[in-house]
Amino acid sequence: MLRQALLAVSKSERAERVISTSPLTRDVVRRYVADDVGPVIDELTRSGLLVTVDHLGEEVTDPAQAGDTVREYLSLLNLLPAGADVSVKLTALGLRLSEQLALDHAATICRAAAARNVTVTLDAEEHDTIPGLHSVHTALRRDHPDVGVVVQAYLPEALERCEKLGGARVRLCKGAYTAPGAYTRPADIDRSFVRCLKILMAGTGYPMVATHDPRLVRIASTLAVLFGRDVTGFEYQMLYGVRPDEQARLAGLGAQMRVYVPYGSDWYAYLMRRLAERPRNLTFFLRSLLSRR
């Protein structure tokens, strides 16, 4: 119930005005959102961690704003080392306006990223955007075969999606949205995650295991051994500010450990979804609101 409430708050304009304008939210925002993305990338890279960087923003309905998003990503690429990744939401590139517009913008980012040996991953969003996401991903792979895509385990069709994504880079996550008919019980989402993970580990693509759940991390490592994948054949992904000690531990073991680094001023919806994914983080958030310490 708390998860559903937080997701509802993430869509409330009134709540956004109250929370985003409060100076007391600064501490919690800085914990999850890079204040100055360049130094954060440098620090993580020096620590042996890989990065995927997301310029926050979504649900764009203005073509000019979508163009601004593309230019922001082109500038961001100058800060990234080879082997880095950028995460892109198609609604920030104008998917709500036109699938073709989003495809054209994503292709521009893919071409610039390839020139710097950086990959691109298309983020999953609200359930009604998923068909467009996979349509754009399929089109992009013709010229950019290493473009990645996100599959959300809370959706019943996730397993079928994974089966169809042979040879692709696939980030598997639990999902931070709501959808009609979606799994809502944590146990059901976890079971879907493991079913999908088995398909990805047994396949010919590159699994990106996006979870902070210790049990699922252990299952992923076991499946990698079972299906003969070495440490270069898959990677773990975790959010900036969440379980940094575990991120360091996995990197220290030689695993490919990539940190999802968001930045930008449009952080409200992202932050609320992160709290919904891990409601215990709400304690930290409330403490930041109620105390300046």
Side-chain angles (χ1 to χ4, degrees):
M1 291 180 64
L2 179 56
R3 179 178 185 274
Q4 298 301 314
L6 288 169
L7 288 173
V9 169
S10 75
K11 301 175 183 179
S12 168
E13 293 183 1
R14 180 179 180 183
E16 179 176 2
R17 285 195 299 271
V18 172
I19 294 173
S20 63
T21 58
S22 171
L24 303 182
T25 62
R26 188 174 297 113
D27 288 343
V28 72
V29 174
R30 285 178 176 171
R31 175 170 176 171
Y32 295 107
V33 178
D35 192 32
D36 188 351
V37 70
V40 168
I41 293 168
D42 291 342
E43 181 180 356
L44 292 170
T45 302
R46 286 195 303 269
S47 300
L49 297 163
L50 302 170
V51 296
T52 180
V53 186
D54 172 25
H55 177 249
L56 293 174
E58 54 195 84
E59 299 296 341
V60 167
T61 56
D62 178 3
Q65 191 177 354
D68 289 342
T69 300
V70 175
R71 285 185 284 276
E72 180 65 34
Y73 273 101
L74 298 183
S75 296
L76 170 64
L77 291 172
N78 295 321
L79 303 177
L80 298 179
D85 181 78
V86 292
S87 290
V88 179
K89 289 182 173 59
L90 290 181
T91 64
L93 303 185
L95 182 63
R96 295 292 190 190
L97 297 167
S98 159
E99 185 177 303
Q100 185 63 50
L101 178 64
L103 172 59
D104 291 344
H105 283 332
T108 297
I109 296 171
C110 285
R111 286 192 295 269
R116 300 190 64 88
N117 196 23
V118 170
T119 53
V120 176
T121 301
L122 304 181
D123 267 330
E125 302 179 70
E126 295 282 1
H127 67 94
D128 63 325
T129 68
I130 300 303
L133 166 69
H134 288 282
S135 176
V136 169
H137 178 247
T138 298
L140 283 174
R141 282 186 72 193
R142 297 186 188 111
D143 294 321
H144 306 282
D146 63 351
V147 65
V149 69
V150 174
V151 172
Q152 300 167 309
Y154 87 115
L155 295 175
E157 65 268 24
L159 183 64
E160 182 180 357
R161 291 286 186 193
C162 289
E163 291 172 339
K164 292 179 177 179
L165 287 166
R169 293 173 59 252
V170 179
R171 177 192 296 154
L172 178 64
C173 68
K174 291 187 180 183
Y177 296 87
T178 58
Y183 301 124
T184 57
R185 292 178 62 248
D188 292 333
I189 297 173
D190 286 356
R191 279 192 285 269
S192 175
F193 191 101
V194 174
R195 288 194 297 267
C196 291
L197 190 55
K198 288 178 179 178
I199 294 296
L200 296 176
M201 286 291 189
T204 59
Y206 182 75
M208 300 179 284
V209 187
T211 183
H212 309 98
D213 187 322
R215 187 174 66 90
L216 294 180
V217 169
R218 291 193 297 271
I219 290 173
S221 64
T222 300
L223 289 174
V225 173
L226 180 64
F227 291 109
R229 288 184 180 267
D230 63 19
V231 293
T232 65
F234 75 106
E235 67 184 46
Y236 300 102
Q237 294 191 357
M238 295 185 184
L239 299 171
Y240 176 65
V242 181
R243 302 196 72 200
D245 290 345
E246 175 66 359
Q247 295 173 16
R249 185 188 73 82
L250 289 169
L253 293 174
Q256 303 268 42
M257 177 64 244
R258 194 178 300 274
V259 182
Y260 186 105
V261 182
Y263 77 102
S265 59
D266 194 6
W267 50 261
Y268 175 77
Y270 170 85
L271 178 60
M272 290 300 107
R273 290 196 297 269
R274 297 297 74 79
L275 294 174
E277 285 178 322
R278 290 170 57 85
R280 60 185 170 180
N281 287 336
L282 187 60
T283 301
F284 178 88
F285 178 60
L286 292 175
R287 188 181 302 122
S288 296
L289 288 175
L290 298 173
S291 172
R292 291 183 179 273
R293 291 181 297 173

